[in-house]
Amino acid sequence: MEVTSSNFKELLPEIEDVINKSTFLAIDCEFSGLNVVSEINAFDTPKQYYEKVRKNCKEFLVIQYGISAFRFDPSDGKFKQRSYNFYIFRRPINKNIPDQRFLCQTSSINFLTSQGFDFNKLFKSGISYLNMSEETDYREKIEDRQKLRNNQHNNQQSPSEVDPIPQDVQPVVDDVLQQLSDFLDTDNVELELPKCNAFVRRLIYQTTAQKFKNKITLQTKNRNKDRILVASKFKSKKEQQEIDQRLFEEEMSVLDDFIGFTKVLRIVVDSGKMIVGHNMCLDFLHTIDKFLTPLAKEYDEFKECAHALFKNVLDTKFMSSSDEFKDLIQSTVLKDVLEAVSKDPFQLPTVEIEDAGQGYRVEDLKEHEAGYDAYITGLCFLSMWNYLGTLKELSTADIFKDFSLLEPYLNKLYLMMLRDSQYINLAGQDPNPSRDHVFYLTFPRDWRLNNIIELFSPFGGVYVAWINETSAYVGLFKREQAAVALSTLSQSDTYSIMTYSRRQAQLEDGPSPAPVNRRKRTLDNTPRCNKKIKTDQGTASKKRQTVLEAESETPKKCARKELTKTFVESDAWD
């Protein structure tokens, strides 16, 4: 079901009920850009990976959010689902919240347009949102204004607080006082005074309080982006309090509208339901940053906060890449996973659209619509979950009665493009695989891939992860050759080499400024820059890589070609 600003309020009670009754929720997001792809290095740590994805979250926006709620019905052993496709776009608010910048990649917009994304609907009917920090700031400003209004009618300036009126401003003040005097003789309720600057407004406030005490009340209002003074005839304290309270309630109602889609995520958090996504690191971080609380700068603080918000998170890309499934699922691109888990030895459980609800069917073929992708993610998850149960010969009811079969996959975010299958463990320590076979190499600007391959040729094939035009990480396929390679290559005035661990220690002490011109992240399996990124990095692919890398183009040429294809959501980010 499409959800926009026109039907959001009406559907919110239903959405809350569906979420609270669900067994789990599958999510997916569409973004205005994904340039984080070009920043990731194959030998990043989870902490470094997070820092780069966090930067991406600050630059780009979520423009569509899909939620597919799956509920297991033990009475018939079937799953029921309802799915929602939210258009997300924050409108200009007011001076309380800075205007949001809409940064995008043309490749991203072009890709979504080719998939039928309705940008007119996004901009005209997108649902607003505020994270908790923004809402708190906004709410405090409204409450402060209410306090000022409550005190305004009792506060009179003492002589020491009276500002002298400059000679050139006196005629302006006199003219306003005359208008106010004439206003008292009319039946008009309000009088809008001429626009003036803040200093003149202060002078008018003080002279009005002196001359028209208990007769006229002034209030500053926003009109057509200008701040002007509006005079009204004095009311009793009770009447004025009632007016102020109505104004306060109106401002709070406006704030409530601006919170918008954030309410849905707060319902999700409060429900404690398990969240399932595919390659969901970026979706997960955007979800927290845009709709809940700004992402922490410190990695450990982020993990603590994220796990406090979402106790159970499952990434189906991590699950499908695990030892239990990697021989059965050859490609972990979402549509390929669906194809794999739809046939033996898998079996998709029966999933029906909830009575009187709306959802998707596989044959709808609405790839890259967030709601549909969330639904497909949920189906893939159910099939893999069911497979784990059949291995233990469990009944359908026993398989889906709890999440005990899923423990090895919970709270682990897949980190795409990293060389050694690392992940972010939200509920514990991250993996720390040995990288003793990896070296940090710096070299002259005119070096190319062949120079590096030739340098390491006595020690076997290598994997090169470019950092910039003069440095790269180099991983040996023959790990046992690492010590010999370091000893042999350490003496040179042309290049420098150090262990991966030593380089990481340097970065912890204080990283050097990021280079302006970055090369391609990695060169793996093919000389073409626009290759589809593979998740399978088994022994066979490594052997092919050794040969192909020797025939690769120079990194400089490769970098230029990749600039024309930075948005690869259709394959790499699925």
Side-chain angles (χ1 to χ4, degrees):
M1 175 182 288
E2 284 191 347
V3 186
T4 64
S5 58
S6 61
N7 63 355
F8 176 70
K9 283 187 176 181
E10 176 187 349
L11 288 174
L12 188 59
E14 172 193 314
I15 294 169
E16 181 173 13
D17 184 62
V18 169
I19 289 173
N20 286 328
K21 290 180 178 178
S22 67
T23 302
F24 69 91
L25 303 170
I27 67 166
D28 183 76
C29 298
E30 298 297 335
F31 310 107
S32 63
L34 280 177
N35 75 352
V36 71
V37 174
S38 63
E39 296 289 330
I40 295 171
N41 187 280
F43 291 110
D44 279 339
T45 64
K47 177 178 181 290
Q48 291 164 342
Y49 195 104
Y50 166 74
E51 290 167 350
K52 292 174 181 180
V53 177
R54 178 182 180 274
K55 177 184 176 183
N56 178 271
C57 290
K58 298 301 181 182
E59 291 179 346
F60 296 112
L61 303 179
V62 175
I63 55 179
Q64 200 175 69
Y65 203 106
I67 296 179
S68 192
F70 290 79
R71 181 181 68 84
F72 180 65
D73 188 347
S75 64
D76 59 9
K78 298 178 181 179
F79 271 92
K80 309 297 193 303
Q81 62 96 6
R82 288 194 188 184
S83 300
Y84 302 90
N85 189 51
F86 300 86
Y87 282 84
I88 310 295
F89 185 69
R90 190 160 86 184
R91 305 189 181 287
I93 302 178
N94 50 43
K95 64 185 180 66
N96 295 299
I97 301 295
D99 200 11
Q100 190 170 51
R101 296 174 61 191
F102 185 88
L103 184 64
C104 66
Q105 284 176 280
T106 54
S107 53
S108 174
I109 301 302
N110 182 67
F111 173 81
L112 290 173
T113 301
S114 71
Q115 300 296 314
F117 191 98
D118 192 339
F119 281 95
N120 284 328
K121 185 174 292 184
L122 172 70
F123 298 138
K124 290 181 180 179
S125 304
I127 307 167
S128 188
Y129 60 89
L130 295 173
N131 63 34
M132 287 185 276
S133 176
E134 292 168 329
E135 181 196 346
T136 298
D137 289 344
Y138 194 161
R139 190 178 299 277
E140 287 177 351
K141 289 175 181 177
I142 293 176
E143 292 172 348
D144 288 343
R145 284 201 299 273
Q146 178 69 352
K147 291 177 182 177
L148 287 174
R149 285 192 291 264
N150 290 337
N151 295 331
Q152 178 181 344
H153 310 291
N154 298 324
N155 291 342
Q156 300 295 328
Q157 289 177 310
S158 64
S160 62
E161 296 175 312
V162 175
D163 292 322
I165 301 175
Q167 187 174 359
D168 60 328
V169 180
Q170 188 66 54
V172 177
V173 175
D174 290 341
D175 180 64
V176 170
L177 292 176
Q178 184 60 50
Q179 291 185 53
L180 293 174
S181 180
D182 295 340
F183 167 63
L184 288 174
D185 295 331
T186 68
D187 294 330
N188 296 332
V189 177
E190 286 187 346
L191 172 66
E192 187 175 304
L193 298 175
K195 186 174 68 173
C196 56
N197 61 38
F199 176 64
V200 175
R201 287 200 299 271
R202 176 178 171 83
L203 296 177
I204 293 173
Y205 263 113
Q206 73 177 24
T207 53
T208 300
Q210 292 169 346
K211 186 170 182 178
F212 299 105
K213 182 179 180 181
N214 297 332
K215 293 182 181 179
I216 288 179
T217 300
L218 294 180
Q219 186 177 5
T220 302
K221 295 185 177 182
N222 293 317
R223 297 281 171 84
N224 298 322
K225 297 184 179 180
D226 293 321
R227 290 177 64 77
I228 63 168
L229 285 173
V230 176
S232 58
K233 294 175 182 177
F234 188 81
K235 298 176 178 61
S236 68
K237 185 176 181 180
K238 181 179 179 180
E239 289 175 324
Q240 193 59 50
Q241 286 175 340
E242 291 174 351
I243 293 173
D244 291 345
Q245 183 61 30
R246 285 197 298 271
L247 181 58
F248 175 73
E249 291 171 357
E250 289 173 2
E251 291 176 331
M252 284 297 187
S253 177
V254 171
L255 168 59
D256 188 68
D257 288 339
F258 281 129
I259 294 172
F261 180 71
T262 303
K263 296 177 183 176
V264 176
L265 266 301
R266 291 178 185 174
I267 292 169
V268 172
V269 171
D270 290 342
S271 73
K273 301 298 181 180
M274 182 167 70
I275 308 301
V276 177
H278 187 79
N279 199 15
M280 69 182 297
C281 183
L282 198 58
D283 304 63
F284 189 65
L285 266 62
H286 269 286
T287 294
I288 294 173
D289 187 65
K290 296 297 186 297
F291 311 117
L292 298 171
T293 185
L295 289 170
K297 290 184 179 180
E298 297 299 324
Y299 177 59
D300 290 339
E301 184 180 343
F302 152 71
K303 289 178 60 175
E304 181 181 356
C305 174
H307 191 51
L309 290 169
F310 300 98
K311 294 297 184 185
N312 287 310
V313 176
L314 190 142
D315 190 333
T316 52
K317 196 169 183 89
F318 174 83
M319 189 176 185
S320 59
S321 302
S322 65
D323 291 340
E324 292 81 356
F325 295 99
K326 66 181 181 182
D327 292 334
L328 302 173
I329 302 174
Q330 300 303 312
S331 167
T332 58
V333 173
L334 181 58
K335 62 181 180 181
D336 296 337
V337 175
L338 177 63
E339 181 180 354
V341 302
S342 299
K343 55 190 178 184
D344 288 338
F346 298 95
Q347 183 177 0
L348 279 172
T350 302
V351 179
E352 300 174 346
I353 296 176
E354 190 84 54
D355 292 342
Q358 294 192 36
Y360 292 97
R361 295 177 175 84
V362 174
E363 54 268 25
D364 291 339
L365 299 178
K366 294 184 177 181
E367 284 186 87
H368 302 292
E369 180 172 291
Y372 179 78
D373 284 352
Y375 165 68
I376 294 301
T377 296
L379 288 184
C380 293
F381 166 62
L382 281 178
S383 187
M384 289 188 287
W385 187 3
N386 185 62
Y387 174 77
L388 293 174
T390 58
L391 292 179
K392 295 182 177 296
E393 300 181 348
L394 298 177
S395 66
T396 299
D398 287 336
I399 293 172
F400 300 119
K401 68 179 181 179
D402 56 35
F403 301 141
S404 58
L405 295 173
L406 306 172
E407 286 295 330
Y409 316 104
L410 289 178
N411 300 310
K412 297 177 175 65
L413 299 181
Y414 183 86
L415 299 184
M416 192 185 73
M417 300 179 189
L418 293 200
R419 187 64 181 168
D420 39 17
S421 302
Q422 293 210 41
Y423 55 85
I424 292 176
N425 185 356
L426 296 172
Q429 293 295 317
D430 294 329
N432 186 27
S434 172
R435 285 179 173 173
D436 292 342
H437 65 298
V438 180
F439 302 100
Y440 173 70
L441 186 71
T442 60
F443 40 79
R445 187 177 295 272
D446 59 354
W447 272 36
R448 299 294 179 257
L449 176 64
N450 286 340
N451 298 102
I452 300 176
I453 292 176
E454 183 179 355
L455 179 67
F456 284 88
S457 60
F459 315 104
V462 295
Y463 181 94
V464 179
W466 295 90
I467 300 171
N468 54 56
E469 292 186 351
T470 60
S471 65
Y473 287 118
V474 181
L476 299 181
F477 289 163
K478 296 181 178 179
R479 293 177 177 239
E480 70 278 5
Q481 293 290 313
V484 177
L486 181 62
S487 175
T488 305
L489 301 178
S490 290
Q491 304 299 321
S492 175
D493 295 330
T494 304
Y495 61 85
S496 68
I497 186 171
M498 69 174 68
T499 62
Y500 177 85
S501 58
R502 181 181 172 192
R503 177 56 180 168
Q504 293 303 307
Q506 284 184 346
L507 293 176
E508 287 295 324
D509 291 339
S512 57
V516 176
N517 296 319
R518 297 183 59 87
R519 290 178 184 266
K520 189 177 184 293
R521 300 178 308 280
T522 61
L523 296 172
D524 187 18
N525 294 346
T526 173
R528 302 191 306 275
C529 287
N530 60 354
K531 69 179 281 293
K532 291 186 178 181
I533 299 168
K534 302 295 184 182
T535 57
D536 186 336
Q537 297 178 351
T539 304
S541 66
K542 289 180 180 178
K543 289 180 179 178
R544 291 194 303 272
Q545 176 193 31
T546 306
V547 177
L548 290 170
E549 281 183 336
E551 302 172 353
S552 296
E553 299 178 71
T554 64
K556 190 171 185 179
K557 291 180 181 178
C558 188
R560 283 199 297 268
K561 287 187 178 182
E562 189 177 3
L563 289 176
T564 65
K565 186 177 176 65
T566 57
F567 182 72
V568 289
E569 198 227 59
S570 59
D571 43 45
W573 283 93
D574 277 341

